[in-house]
Amino acid sequence: MVEDDDVLWIKQPRRDPANEAVHSLITKERMQKLDLLIHLLSNLTQALVVCGPKGIGKTTLLNVLQERKTESRRYCLMQGNADLSFEVVYEQLAKARLVSSAAGQYKQIVLIVDNAGELVPGLITAIIQYAAANPVLRVIFALTHDELQVKRGSDRAVDDCHIVEIPPLSERQCGDFLQHLSTKPALNL
């Protein structure tokens, strides 16, 4: 990890293992949000919403969160879509719980639902109610501001979530990131 005045570059593996590792831009402000997420996961039982405009870096921040492995926390990442049902979520959590109890080391299971705005109405409420009944389970939903407003109409439980706002990049940070990207071979872009 290389540190600059305003920018931290964190090496993150690409989803395609055949490609070389890529860099994700995580600013100091975003690192503070990451630290806040970790603190809230450790100290609150209520669900969390990572909120920001489309393309702001919610998924990147959540990926960095998962890379910060701890002995007491296991992550279960799910992509939100209209076909996702509570039964599928329950099955994935059951698998995570079996692995956790077999390992005997995890005290928390963190369900991360990326693109949670795609979920059918009522599913967020069902997940939050399930998490409330299971003290080892924590939940993070990634939503845009517009999706959050829509979900407030269909899933009233989202009003009880703690919202973590992802800050936008400054003009300088955008320039630094674009300059970094310009040094990469065109195939990686």
Side-chain angles (χ1 to χ4, degrees):
M1 177 166 48
V2 179
E3 210 168 314
D4 192 341
D5 287 342
D6 294 329
V7 179
L8 294 172
W9 295 95
I10 296 177
K11 199 159 190 146
Q12 176 180 341
R14 233 185 230 260
R15 293 190 196 280
D16 181 4
N19 293 324
E20 70 177 35
V22 297
H23 291 254
S24 296
L25 182 63
I26 302 292
T27 63
K28 286 184 178 179
E29 295 85 7
R30 290 179 181 201
M31 193 58 82
Q32 290 172 345
K33 296 297 182 175
L34 180 64
D35 291 340
L36 175 62
L37 273 175
I38 292 167
H39 174 76
L40 293 173
L41 286 171
S42 299
N43 296 300
L44 289 181
T45 57
Q46 73 188 102
L48 306 173
V49 172
V50 172
C51 192
K54 183 176 171 95
I56 195 83
K58 297 180 293 293
T59 300
T60 300
L61 189 74
L62 292 172
N63 287 339
V64 173
L65 172 68
Q66 292 176 78
E67 287 175 2
R68 288 192 160 190
K69 305 241 186 267
T70 67
E71 295 177 6
S72 64
R73 193 174 289 136
R74 179 167 182 80
Y75 296 97
C76 180
L77 174 66
M78 301 190 79
Q79 288 297 320
N81 61 60
D83 296 330
L84 192 62
S85 66
F86 182 76
E87 291 75 21
V88 172
V89 173
Y90 181 81
E91 287 173 17
Q92 289 299 315
L93 289 173
K95 287 178 188 176
R97 188 170 288 137
L98 284 175
V99 170
S100 296
S101 60
Q105 62 186 8
Y106 299 110
K107 296 177 184 162
Q108 265 185 4
I109 298 173
V110 179
L111 172 64
I112 299 173
V113 183
D114 200 5
N115 298 321
E118 301 291 321
L119 299 177
V120 296
L123 185 53
I124 287 178
T125 298
I127 292 170
I128 289 172
Q129 289 172 345
Y130 180 73
N134 293 279
V136 298
L137 183 60
R138 302 292 186 272
V139 182
I140 301 174
F141 299 103
L143 294 164
T144 66
H145 294 103
D146 292 340
E147 292 169 339
L148 180 59
Q149 292 299 18
V150 169
K151 291 301 177 189
R152 283 187 166 142
S154 64
D155 290 270
R156 299 298 299 169
V158 82
D159 288 336
D160 296 328
C161 294
H162 187 87
I163 297 176
V164 177
E165 187 78 29
I166 303 302
L169 297 176
S170 69
E171 189 174 325
R172 177 174 179 230
Q173 292 165 338
C174 285
D176 290 345
F177 185 60
L178 291 173
Q179 186 175 14
H180 172 72
L181 288 178
S182 69
T183 64
K184 298 297 175 196
L187 292 176
N188 287 345
L189 295 177

